[in-house]
Amino acid sequence: MKYTNKYHLPQWEEDDRIMRTDFNNAMAALEDGLSTAQSAADRAYSPEKRPYTIGSYAGNGETSTVKIGFRPRFLIVSAQFLTVANSYPTNVIVAAPGLLTSVLTFLEDGFSIRADSGSRPQMNEPGKTYHYIAFQ
C-alpha cells in the first residue's frame, strides 16, 4: 500500500487487501485534520475579533496617538466637516507600508498623526473629529 505525501492517507493499489485498521486510521487522520482546520478558522475571525477596527479621535493641533491594540497594515482616516455648500469628506488620508505620509507614523499598538500646517490634507486640527478604519 502507498500513502499520500502530505497527510499519509492510504492509497490502495488493485491487489492490496483493504484492512479495517487502515481505513479507520485514515478516517481518524481526516477527522483530526478537519478539527484543526476548523479551530484555526474559528480563531481567525469572529464578531468579537474582527480583522479591522473602526474608531475616531479628536484633533488637538499637535500629535495624537491612537491606540488600537495592533500595528495597522492599512489605514484610512477621514474627516467630514459639514458646511452649507459641502457635505462630502473633505480630508482623507490612506496609509500602508510603502504608502506612508509625512504626518502619520505606524506604532506597534496603533498610529500617531501630527498636525503640520505645511501638509495637506490637515488631519489633526483642534476641535475636529477624525474617523478611521485600521486593518490588521
Side-chain angles (χ1 to χ4, degrees), residues 12-32:
W12 288 280
E13 301 202 8
E14 186 176 335
D15 59 344
D16 285 341
R17 184 170 170 223
I18 298 175
M19 302 293 289
R20 177 185 51 81
T21 54
D22 293 331
F23 186 81
N24 288 346
N25 289 341
M27 294 303 107
L30 287 171
E31 176 80 12
D32 290 344

Side-chain angles (χ1 to χ4, degrees), residues 10 122 127:
Q122 287 294 322

Side-chain angles (χ1 to χ4, degrees), residues 33-78:
L34 290 170
S35 294
T36 300
Q38 183 64 55
S39 294
D42 290 344
R43 285 189 311 275
Y45 176 80
S46 69
E48 297 79 32
K49 185 181 180 221
R50 291 181 237 150
Y52 63 90
T53 189
I54 298 171
S56 62
Y57 65 91
N60 63 13
E62 297 174 16
T63 298
S64 292
T65 298
V66 181
K67 305 257 186 195
I68 57 175
F70 60 88
R71 182 182 188 93
R73 289 186 184 184
F74 187 76
L75 178 69
I76 302 170
V77 181
S78 71

Side-chain angles (χ1 to χ4, degrees), residues 2-19:
K2 294 182 181 177
Y3 295 91
T4 62
N5 291 334
K6 292 183 182 177
Y7 300 106
H8 197 71
L9 298 174
Q11 298 288 289
W12 288 280
E13 301 202 8
E14 186 176 335
D15 59 344
D16 285 341
R17 184 170 170 223
I18 298 175
M19 302 293 289

